[in-house]
Amino acid sequence: MTTGTLAALPGHSLTCLDVELMRSTAPDGAALAAALAQLSSLQQLRLYNLNGHRAVAGSCVLGLAQLKQLTSLTFHGNWSDCQQPLQQLLAQPLPLRQLNIHCWTANVQPVLTLDMTALVSMREMTCWQELPEGSVLPPQLTQLQLDCLAGSASGLAAVLLLQQLQRLTAVVSCEEPQPLARLARLPALQHLVVRCSPDADPAATAAAWPLLPQLAELEIGSTLDCFSPEQMEALLAGLSGATSLTKLQLAASE
């Protein structure tokens, strides 16, 4: 889809839109922002740049600040210089209830803090990347999915502030059980899904599994060719104590 096509859409009535940018020539970010800003009735937007070899200017997201009815946003793909525009957008009091972001770029950029406290309507969020240090999530979130939750990262600290969080799905790369066990402190958490990062040793966090009464689903995989007897012993001990577990995916060999 081109910016010209976007500009021709019935912005006064259109409520749901999927935009897939697949042209060999990347559209201008300012023109794309202006075209998006005209879609005044839009409630749901999924914005993808599917050309992995050509980035689109991330400044196009600034046009979304004009959409006063937008409640659901998906922002995926290869975007150039997207961090600062995304930071500016998410710091505004948007009516968003659902947010799904997965952005990447070949450009080397400073990692900017995301402060989303102004998103007072936000209830569901998916973030397919590690949260920048010092980021603040909307405190009223009830569902959250994170692609990376490391024990030393600020993402864990941000999650532990979510007193209304009911469902959490996280790819975990902790190297010890204590950080993961801290999730048991979340007062409203009912359903926890832990996916062990294939680059981490799942046996390192196995001692935390019995300490998490909310742990309902667990996915264990590893880039290791096989687990040592000690690792298997730790895994099995952790699994035997995870009494709330209802779903298990285990890819392991001795």
Side-chain angles (χ1 to χ4, degrees), residues 184-249:
R185 303 177 186 177
L186 291 169
L189 189 62
Q190 302 172 9
H191 192 101
L192 174 61
V193 180
V194 170
R195 296 171 179 162
C196 298
S197 171
D199 298 323
D201 177 11
T205 58
W209 303 339
L211 305 178
L212 294 165
Q214 310 96 330
L215 182 60
E217 300 181 35
L218 180 62
E219 297 181 13
I220 304 172
S222 178
T223 54
L224 301 173
D225 293 334
C226 62
F227 293 112
S228 69
E230 293 78 15
Q231 288 172 314
M232 284 301 301
E233 181 179 359
L235 290 174
L236 295 176
L239 290 172
S240 65
T243 56
S244 299
L245 199 63
T246 59
K247 182 177 180 181
L248 172 65
Q249 180 177 317

Side-chain angles (χ1 to χ4, degrees), residues 43 67-73 90-99 116-125 137-143 164:
Q43 298 174 20
L67 305 183
K68 304 306 181 183
Q69 300 185 51
L70 188 67
T71 59
S72 179
L73 171 63
L90 298 181
Q92 301 184 53
L94 306 173
L96 287 175
R97 293 184 58 86
Q98 297 176 320
L99 176 64
M116 292 175 274
T117 53
L119 301 176
V120 296
S121 298
M122 182 82 74
R123 296 296 183 271
E124 301 177 20
M125 178 178 174
L137 297 170
Q140 70 287 340
L141 278 180
T142 59
Q143 296 187 42
Q164 300 181 46

Side-chain angles (χ1 to χ4, degrees), residues 50 59 87 169 205 229 232 246:
L50 302 181
S59 58
Q87 179 191 45
T169 300
T205 58
M232 284 301 301
T246 59

